[in-house]
Amino acid sequence: MGCGNIFFTLIITFSVALITYNIIISANAPLKQELPGSSSSSSSQGVDFLSVDPIIKMPRNRKSALTNKKRLFHTAVTASDSVYNTWQTRVMYYWFKKMKKNGGSDCEMGGFTRILHSGKGDKFMDEIPTFVAQPLPAGTDQGYIVLNRPWAFVQWLQQTDIEEDYILMSEPDHIIVKPIPNLSRDGLGAAFPFFYIEPKKYEPVLRKFFPEEKGPITNIDPIGNSPVIVGKESLKKIAPTWMNVSLAMKKDPEADKAFGWVLEMYAYAVSSALHDVGNILHKDFMLQPPWDTEIGNKFIIHYTYGCDYDMQGKLTYGKIGEWRFDKRSFDNIYPPRNLPLPPPGVPESVVTLVKMVNEASQNIPNWGP
């Protein structure tokens, strides 16, 4: 027992020392000199891009690289040990297992890891494959807990032997609605484009972290870190930069004010571009109810927005509806089994979301904290 405590103390001390070193580097060194990445411009520069759904950005000369070779990817979800994150992750993992099974022998969905950045295990580690990461030193996140995500990925990538050659970065509030193929191709990542990630709009701020010698600001893709499928070796290079850029942005008042709750998303987009890892933008990667009303060819439901309707099936967004489903209603408690279904007229996406949460809660043993 004594040796175990000493070893655990040494691990924590090393982790805190490493993150403190990175904070010092981010805070005091000229960022454009210290961040990794070659000085050549992005490989996307000067390439003809297509605007064809569902792929809205993919270099023409990459089309020929499509093959039928099976390329497994590992799904990784970062989470805290809060009730809020835990019930979502349990639902997410239930549907991951089911869709992987439904994909059959051709499915490219490999293993799954919950990266738990609480610094200690919990009682769900036997239910969900879990890696325990240390959180940032106290006070470092300044109340922005998402900053733990890149640091957790750094630890996982450094300390774990991951069999698959690709990683899908996902989140607790993702539900997989059909088996996901490996959408990345030939050195390019695959990512969902977010309308609110606007590098051109914030070019003066982003130039603090993405120097002009790296090329035009449009080399930064309008993405976050999730959902993204990217090569494992590429992510090993991106992750430490992502951590440092996130910390540096949070310490920069102008960047912190400009990016707010999506700061860590901008940091990943910048870091990917710094390492010349471009991304194929798949708008069919996921849907977001209530704004996306049909499942169509989408792979993931992201239930980040509240769904409020009156009993005639009319959306009352911004006003609590007579019928509602909002994950934030269950921040300290589990959703009950058999949530009431929406009234007639509510879009397919919302109905499907509630049915899938209900199926998961009905079939997951010991549903509850």
Side-chain angles (χ1 to χ4, degrees):
M1 178 66 73
C3 291
N5 287 335
I6 292 172
F7 177 73
F8 183 68
T9 301
L10 288 173
I11 289 295
I12 292 179
T13 302
F14 175 76
S15 299
V16 172
L18 178 61
I19 191 63
T20 302
Y21 169 78
N22 279 293
I23 293 169
I24 293 171
I25 290 296
S26 298
N28 297 319
L31 192 59
K32 68 184 289 185
Q33 296 177 11
E34 294 298 326
L35 289 176
S38 65
S39 60
S40 61
S41 59
S42 169
S43 59
S44 64
Q45 195 171 6
V47 179
D48 182 26
F49 288 100
L50 302 180
S51 297
V52 179
D53 292 339
I55 301 172
I56 64 173
K57 191 179 86 170
M58 183 173 181
R60 188 185 303 274
N61 64 353
R62 300 286 189 179
K63 289 284 188 179
S64 61
L66 304 182
T67 69
N68 293 321
K69 182 180 178 182
K70 189 174 180 181
R71 299 171 304 129
L72 295 177
F73 60 84
H74 193 103
T75 299
V77 177
T78 54
S80 72
D81 60 357
S82 67
V83 171
Y84 178 70
N85 263 188
T86 300
W87 71 257
Q88 292 173 40
T89 307
R90 296 179 78 189
V91 171
M92 197 277 183
Y93 184 55
Y94 171 87
W95 284 105
F96 167 86
K97 291 187 294 183
K98 186 164 185 176
M99 291 304 161
K100 179 180 177 179
K101 183 178 180 180
N102 289 349
S105 60
D106 293 331
C107 185
E108 295 181 305
M109 297 167 65
F112 183 100
T113 299
R114 173 183 63 151
I115 305 175
L116 184 64
H117 53 73
S118 61
K120 60 184 185 300
D122 63 11
K123 66 181 182 180
F124 301 104
M125 294 180 68
D126 290 335
E127 176 183 326
I128 308 172
T130 300
F131 171 83
V132 177
Q134 297 303 313
L136 291 165
T140 305
D141 64 19
Q142 300 179 53
Y144 181 55
I145 194 172
V146 184
L147 281 183
N148 285 283
R149 181 178 294 159
W151 171 222
F153 264 104
V154 168
Q155 295 173 72
W156 178 61
L157 290 164
Q158 289 180 347
Q159 300 174 31
T160 306
D161 183 16
I162 304 159
E163 294 183 4
E164 298 85 354
D165 291 329
Y166 298 86
I167 307 294
L168 164 60
M169 293 184 284
S170 191
E171 296 183 25
D173 61 353
H174 287 179
I175 292 181
I176 301 173
V177 293
K178 65 179 181 179
I180 304 172
N182 190 337
L183 300 169
S184 67
R185 290 290 182 266
D186 195 24
L188 295 169
F192 178 80
F194 290 91
F195 72 89
Y196 50 77
I197 301 298
E198 303 175 274
K200 188 65 179 176
K201 179 179 177 181
Y202 295 104
E203 180 168 2
V205 180
L206 289 172
R207 283 302 184 191
K208 297 180 181 182
F209 314 97
F210 188 75
E212 291 189 5
E213 56 263 31
K214 290 300 295 180
I217 207 71
T218 51
N219 283 356
I220 301 174
D221 292 321
I223 64 172
N225 81 291
S226 173
V228 169
I229 299 177
V230 63
K232 177 176 61 181
E233 296 307 315
S234 293
L235 187 57
K236 285 181 178 179
K237 296 175 183 177
I238 293 169
T241 309
W242 174 27
M243 178 183 71
N244 282 333
V245 173
S246 296
L247 292 168
M249 283 183 172
K250 189 62 181 175
K251 292 175 72 69
D252 183 286
E254 185 181 19
D256 190 24
K257 181 179 179 181
F259 303 142
W261 65 275
V262 296
L263 180 147
E264 166 267 345
M265 295 173 68
Y266 271 99
Y268 180 83
V270 167
S271 301
S272 183
L274 284 169
H275 287 281
D276 297 318
V277 178
N279 294 274
I280 306 165
L281 305 183
H282 283 268
K283 71 176 186 178
D284 274 358
F285 209 150
M286 73 179 186
L287 68 148
Q288 301 184 96
W291 311 117
D292 298 313
T293 58
E294 298 178 356
I295 302 297
N297 295 318
K298 311 294 195 299
F299 296 101
I300 293 171
I301 293 177
H302 181 209
Y303 53 102
T304 188
Y305 300 105
C307 301
D308 289 274
Y309 293 86
D310 62 23
M311 296 312 292
Q312 287 70 50
K314 180 181 178 181
L315 181 66
T316 61
Y317 194 77
K319 176 183 177 183
I320 294 178
E322 296 174 271
W323 180 93
R324 76 182 322 237
F325 176 78
D326 188 337
K327 65 179 183 178
R328 295 164 192 82
S329 300
F330 308 105
D331 56 350
N332 292 311
I333 58 172
Y334 271 58
R337 285 175 164 148
N338 295 315
L339 289 165
L341 293 178
V346 171
E348 172 198 26
S349 62
V350 179
V351 176
T352 301
L353 166 60
V354 177
K355 285 183 176 179
M356 293 184 84
V357 171
N358 279 346
E359 179 179 330
S361 66
Q362 283 283 7
N363 288 283
I364 295 174
N366 303 312
W367 182 250

